[in-house]
């Protein structure tokens, strides 16, 4: 039985762990965070995410616990309906195109399945060194123990440490935008995604269950700093107030927010190889798009599936990783570059150019992986 050490129990790490375990690998995951510490805001699972989750047999669980929807409604700066994008239904005409879901719920679904498949997840643990030998990787962990594995997977997000330990160089770009998310009560009109163009910023609403939704806001020309928690909800309300119509109606919902987060828009695309010997990076560690396309999770889940498939198809781990990277690179690069272009158009208030670009990219993403 081949052994794999995965670093990071996010979307990429847990789906790769499940796919590898099902293919007969013995898998251990080292996660630096504490158990159950996933941040509380929501996520939109677009068609490619649902399709990849369906392959793992998990799409129905996500639809049952999340909120299925198929349409994105764009509202212009005057509060008028500007565009409506009907997204392709990739898991059958009777099922919705997308699902909004709370992150802890998605995480629980992925985690439960990984454990059911025999994956061992250890929390409060990271990797401190990686040494390559022929067909073997020796890793040292932060608790002082060591591991020998046929494969080490860095699924540790956009600021990946494994990337550096493998000698792969990348420096995530900041695009002058901070993104906000706030969990709120779902208003009765919030049955699909709504996106509002404001004079300075962009905002919107994504339902994640019958009763809950999350508000999002992209703050343009924003300083990349950390605000005290107590300032987050009042400041988000102030940023929402200038939006016309239903956009402004989002502001009072935030007063009920239990959880407001503000994060920099960071993107990353690893040029060239994503692996060194039998160590590889996947998910945001290799390619982090701007959140504007809501597709980073899709790429992360697809990575896990394709990685397991290519390793099964090839005799050696090295050959499997090479095939994995060559299958993934172009698709991931296109998504990252398009998301950066959309972020730029949003920053310049050129929303009418952003809508068709996003629509075309969603159609491209809908093509088989
Ligand atoms: C505000 C925001 C909104 C977004 N909205 C969407 C959306 O609606 N839809 C969508 O598809 N995508 C969205 N994305 C993108 C999506 O969240 C990411 O693409 C996706 O989570 C990537 O998964 P990952 O597993 O590669 O990384 P992560 O989800 O970042 O997981 C990395 C994991 O590794 C752990 N870790 C980090 N460092 C170490 C270490 N040194 N050792 C051990 N463990 C470590 C972390 O604790 C974490 O558990 C959004 C991103 C942001 C920032």
């Amino acid at each position: 039985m081949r052994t794999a050490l995965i670093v990071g129990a996010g979307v990429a790490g847990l789906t790769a762990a499940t796919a590898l375990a099902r293919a007969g690998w013995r898998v251990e995951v080292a996660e630096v965070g504490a158990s159950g510490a996933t941040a509380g805001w929501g996520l939109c699972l677009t068609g490619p995410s649902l399709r990849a989750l369906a392959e793992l047999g998990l799409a129905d669980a996500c639809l049952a616990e999340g909120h299925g929807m198929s349409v994105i409604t764009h509202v212009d700066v005057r509060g008028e309906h500007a565009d409506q994008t009907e997204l392709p239904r990739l898991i059958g005409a009777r099922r919705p195109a997308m699902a909004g879901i709370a992150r802890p719920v998605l995480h629980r679904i992925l985690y439960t399945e990984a454990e059911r498949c025999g994956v061992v997840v250890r929390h409060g643990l990271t990797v401190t060194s990686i040494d390559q030998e022929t067909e073997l990787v020796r890793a040292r962990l932060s608790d002082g123990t060591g591991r020998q594995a046929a494969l080490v997977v860095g699924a540790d997000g956009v600021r990946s440490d494994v990337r550096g330990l493998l000698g792969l160089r990348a420096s995530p770009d900041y695009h002058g935008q901070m993104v906000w998310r706030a969990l709120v009560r779902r208003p009765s009109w919030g049955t699909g995604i709504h996106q509002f163009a404001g004079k300075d910023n962009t905002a919107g609403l994504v339902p994640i269950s019958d009763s809950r939704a999350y508000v999002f806001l992209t703050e343009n020309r924003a300083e990349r700093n950390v605000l005290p928690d107590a300032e987050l909800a009042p400041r988000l309300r102030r940023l929402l107030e200038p939006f016309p119509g239903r956009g402004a109606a989002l502001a009072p919902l935030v007063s009920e927010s239990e959880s407001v987060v503000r994060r920099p828009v960071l993107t990353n695309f690893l040029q060239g190889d994503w692996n060194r010997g039998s160590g590889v990076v996947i998910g945001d560690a290799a390619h982090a798009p701007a959140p504007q396309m809501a597709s980073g999770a899709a790429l992360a889940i697809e990575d896990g599936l394709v990685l397991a498939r290519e390793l099964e198809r090839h005799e050696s781990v090295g050959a499997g990783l090479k095939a994995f990277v060559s299958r993934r690179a172009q698709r991931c690069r296109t998504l990252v570059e398009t998301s950066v272009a959309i972020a730029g158009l949003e920053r310049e208030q050129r929303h009418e150019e952003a809508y068709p670009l996003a629509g075309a990219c969603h159609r491209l993403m809908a093509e088989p992986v």
Side-chain angles (χ1 to χ4, degrees):
M1 187 185 263
R2 295 194 287 181
T3 54
L5 173 66
I6 297 182
V7 184
V11 184
L14 289 174
T15 48
T18 296
L20 287 169
R22 286 187 186 174
W25 288 70
R26 187 163 58 216
V27 186
E28 183 180 1
V29 181
E31 162 60 45
V32 78
S35 173
T38 317
W41 72 96
L43 190 74
C44 174
L45 296 170
T46 50
S49 286
L50 287 180
R51 177 175 59 192
L53 287 163
E55 210 170 307
L56 287 169
L58 301 176
D60 284 331
C62 292
L63 285 167
E65 295 209 44
H67 184 96
M69 59 206 160
S70 300
V71 172
I72 305 177
T73 303
H74 295 281
V75 179
D76 71 15
V77 278
R78 290 156 301 168
E80 282 164 23
H81 184 282
D83 189 68
Q84 187 139 312
T85 312
E86 171 112 30
L87 292 181
R89 295 169 188 251
L90 301 188
I91 55 166
R94 289 162 172 245
R95 278 137 122 206
M98 309 172 273
I101 193 165
R103 278 195 190 239
V105 173
L106 173 65
H107 199 258
R108 171 172 43 76
I109 292 169
L110 298 180
Y111 201 100
T112 305
E113 183 59 16
E115 288 202 315
R116 200 186 64 77
C117 295
V119 173
V120 175
V121 184
R122 298 191 200 285
H123 289 271
L125 197 61
T126 187
V127 68
T128 54
S129 71
I130 295 176
D131 292 307
Q132 303 270 354
E133 292 180 14
T134 322
E135 312 238 323
L136 186 78
V137 190
R138 285 183 201 281
R140 188 135 291 276
L141 302 186
S142 51
D143 62 357
T145 60
R147 300 287 188 279
Q148 291 182 20
L151 171 72
V152 170
V153 180
D156 51 344
V158 66
R159 296 182 182 85
S160 172
D161 291 324
V162 173
R163 206 168 48 209
L165 292 174
L166 290 174
L168 301 165
R169 298 276 159 247
S171 51
D173 297 316
Y174 175 57
H175 297 275
Q177 292 174 323
M178 298 295 286
V179 279
W180 296 75
R181 298 286 185 271
L183 261 184
V184 299
R185 172 182 58 78
R186 182 173 73 81
S188 56
W189 52 268
T191 50
I193 296 183
H194 284 74
Q195 185 169 326
F196 303 93
K199 284 210 177 69
D200 300 311
N201 302 315
T202 310
L205 185 85
V206 179
I208 57 169
S209 73
D210 288 349
S211 58
R212 311 292 284 162
Y214 69 87
V215 167
F216 64 89
L217 183 133
T218 307
E219 187 186 355
N220 289 316
R221 290 170 287 278
E223 199 182 329
R224 185 179 168 187
N225 56 2
V226 177
L227 298 175
D229 284 355
E231 273 184 35
L232 291 174
R235 179 133 163 204
L236 178 56
R237 273 200 304 274
R238 278 201 301 280
L239 288 167
L240 287 165
E241 273 157 13
F243 282 84
R246 279 176 171 166
L250 299 176
L253 294 177
V254 172
S255 63
E256 299 168 25
S257 179
E258 299 142 10
S259 150
V260 180
V261 293
R262 180 176 182 264
R263 295 276 188 280
V265 172
L266 292 177
T267 63
N268 170 46
F269 182 77
L270 196 52
Q271 305 285 346
D273 290 341
W274 300 354
N275 73 302
R276 284 280 186 274
S278 304
V280 68
V281 288
I282 65 170
D284 275 10
H287 45 70
Q292 275 83 347
M293 277 297 298
S295 296
L299 294 186
I301 303 166
E302 290 173 1
D303 274 359
L305 290 173
V306 176
L307 179 68
R309 250 184 249 148
E310 291 302 331
L311 287 168
E312 199 157 15
R313 240 184 243 167
H314 291 83
E315 278 282 291
S316 75
V317 169
L321 295 184
K322 215 174 163 53
F324 161 71
V325 178
S326 89
R327 270 190 63 186
R328 297 298 293 153
Q330 188 53 51
R331 179 175 174 83
C332 297
R333 179 202 287 272
T334 302
L335 186 76
V336 171
E337 289 178 353
T338 308
S339 71
V340 169
I342 290 169
L345 291 170
E346 264 188 15
R347 222 173 26 242
E348 293 166 23
Q349 307 299 311
R350 291 159 60 193
H351 299 284
E352 57 305 325
E353 292 169 63
Y355 305 144
L357 188 57
C361 190
H362 280 302
R363 283 193 294 281
L364 193 74
M365 286 287 291
E367 286 174 12
V369 180

